[in-house]
Amino acid sequence: NAGVMQNPRHLVRRRGQEARLRCSPMKGHSHVYWYRQLPEEGLKFMVYLQKENIIDESGMPKERFSAEFPKEGPSILRIQQVVRGDSAAYFCASSPVGVRQPQHFGDGTRLSIL
Amino acid sequence: DQQVKQNSPSLSVQEGRISILNCDYTNSMFDYFLWYKKYPAEGPTFLISISSIKDKNEDGRFTVFLNKSAKHLSLHIVPSQPGDSAVYFCAAGPRNNAGNMLTFGGGTRLMVKP
């Protein structure tokens, strides 16, 4: 499967725990994006990364959320001390270098907070 | 403040007829527009895009029209097929920048009846 891979597909956490969501971009893609979708809403941009660099994190909550895309390995979206309101579907997308390249999405991680 | 709006939450069409999905935007800095299709429990799938230098782009059964003066775009699917039943999101990207955040509309659920 050469698509964007996200894992886990489903993640259940209790309030106060940490959630780690992983994303491997498509082969040849060097740009990674994270989006969040609340029920019955569209996707909301969170963060845009390239290898070892955060390019735009204007959509990330200021506290508890962080993202990285290391030189080796997948991109990680980390949510510390989760709260009920963090329950959502988190989608990762990737694109190659170049102007106006479409972003291709993974199947998402559905995060449920008990 | 919703910069990209899809005012019809749902649309029902008979198989073989044309489906027209609409999208409006407010930010004049957008110059690249995309349509995605999303099935339940899957990520959005890229369908078709258009840049602001064009007013029409066609790919098989899918055609996107852009009216810059009205800040309006539409997706035409003809002929519609039952497998087209999904949620359709329009998205907009800003001028310049190779790879950047997309702003999504809230989606329109299309149902194609056999």
Side-chain angles (χ1 to χ4, degrees), chain A residues 1 4-5 7-8 15-17 23 28-30 36 44 46 53 62 67 74 84-86 90 93 105-106:
Chain A
N1 187 345
V4 178
M5 301 300 294
N7 66 82
R15 281 179 293 172
Q17 291 184 321
C23 169
H29 288 191
S30 57
R36 176 165 65 175
K44 298 285 194 294
M46 298 181 75
N53 279 307
K62 292 289 184 279
R84 288 253 168 87
D86 297 332
Y90 291 83
F105 284 80

Side-chain angles (χ1 to χ4, degrees), chain B residues 12-82:
Chain B
S12 183
V13 170
Q14 204 66 35
E15 181 180 5
R17 307 294 285 268
I18 185 172
S19 295
I20 301 176
L21 297 105
N22 294 302
C23 180
D24 298 292
Y25 63 96
T26 57
N27 191 337
S28 57
M29 292 299 292
F30 292 143
D31 81 331
Y32 174 53
F33 304 90
L34 310 91
W35 284 94
Y36 286 85
K37 176 170 75 172
K38 186 180 181 302
Y39 293 120
E42 294 184 10
T45 301
F46 170 70
L47 280 175
I48 193 168
S49 64
I50 188 167
S51 75
S52 59
I53 60 173
K54 292 186 172 183
D55 54 19
K56 177 183 174 182
N57 189 24
E58 191 172 352
D59 183 0
R61 296 185 299 115
F62 302 93
T63 303
V64 56
F65 294 92
L66 175 63
N67 182 334
K68 289 186 288 294
S69 61
K71 293 191 174 67
H72 176 83
L73 64 154
S74 60
L75 174 68
H76 292 210
I77 307 172
V78 55
S80 302
Q81 300 172 353

Side-chain angles (χ1 to χ4, degrees), chain A residues 46-63:
Chain A
M46 298 181 75
V47 62
Y48 159 42
L49 310 104
Q50 295 179 18
K51 285 283 188 184
E52 300 185 282
N53 279 307
I54 297 174
I55 307 301
D56 182 348
E57 56 181 347
S58 57
M60 286 274 273
K62 292 289 184 279
E63 297 178 349

